[in-house]
Amino acid sequence: MKEANDFFRRFKENTIGGLNTCAIGEIVTYDPIKSKADVKLLPGDTLIKSVPVGIQQTADFFIRMPYKRGDAVLVVFVQREIDNIMYQSNNPASQRMLAVDDAIVVCGINLFTNDLPAADANKLVVGEKSGAATFTIGGGDVVISGNISLKGKVNVNGTPLQAGGTSF
């Protein structure tokens, strides 16, 4: 029985232990124009270069996060090789599977050692962790605070805007 247990333990370590599924990583460099990053896998020093960074997007719209060095991120490893897809080439895909070379950053990870602001925890919040600027939706209200810039044609429907309590 001991031999069978040892066999299956080694099988698991050698087969399943070699599969890359997902990992927590740390941004080393980030290119917001190409939406790619160099990422160090944690724990350890494995560096993966030119990792695509997932963003919320459609053909016409996008939401981009301003990742910077040291940010913790979730990295997933795609089942098949992604080079041909990322570069839109017609070359047939290789047989590579679940390799670290086929990583994608899917989101930032907030480590348990770094609390998010407690304010508006039950609302949708887009904001700076410092609280300097926030956009909050919840309870029937939309609240914008801090230095917010709007570019383009801005339409306001509803109650007139007021500065300092006076309509303008």
Side-chain angles (χ1 to χ4, degrees):
M1 185 65 150
K2 181 180 181 326
E3 293 83 18
N5 287 338
D6 287 344
F7 169 79
F8 284 112
R9 182 186 49 77
R10 283 191 309 275
F11 177 79
K12 182 176 97 174
E13 289 172 0
N14 294 333
T15 305
I16 298 171
L19 294 177
N20 297 296
T21 54
C22 65
I24 293 179
E26 181 179 281
I27 297 289
V28 175
T29 63
Y30 174 59
D31 178 345
I33 307 304
K34 291 285 189 190
S35 193
K36 66 180 180 176
D38 292 348
V39 179
K40 179 176 75 169
L41 297 183
L42 301 176
D45 292 323
T46 301
L47 180 67
I48 311 171
K49 294 188 167 265
S50 297
V51 177
V53 174
I55 62 173
Q56 295 295 315
Q57 71 173 347
T58 65
D60 298 319
F61 301 96
F62 68 93
I63 299 172
R64 176 176 48 217
M65 300 302 295
Y67 289 106
K68 66 180 186 336
R69 181 180 187 85
D71 284 346
V73 292
L74 178 63
V75 181
V76 299
F77 303 99
V78 180
Q79 185 176 10
R80 300 283 183 184
E81 180 245 323
I82 64 172
D83 295 342
N84 292 321
I85 296 168
M86 294 307 298
Y87 292 104
Q88 295 183 330
S89 71
N90 291 324
N91 298 330
S94 72
Q95 298 302 309
R96 189 171 69 209
M97 294 179 64
L98 297 166
V100 294
D101 295 331
D102 300 314
I104 295 179
V105 170
V106 294
C107 64
I109 296 288
N110 194 63
L111 302 179
F112 293 151
T113 55
N114 302 314
D115 291 343
L116 291 173
D120 300 313
N122 60 342
K123 297 179 180 178
L124 171 66
V125 178
V126 176
E128 295 176 291
K129 288 182 180 179
S130 68
T134 60
F135 179 89
T136 306
I137 299 174
D141 294 325
V142 175
V143 178
I144 302 173
S145 65
N147 295 324
I148 307 292
S149 298
L150 302 175
K151 180 179 178 182
K153 184 178 178 184
V154 178
N155 294 313
V156 177
N157 296 313
T159 305
L161 295 174
Q162 295 181 357
T166 307
S167 296
F168 61 96

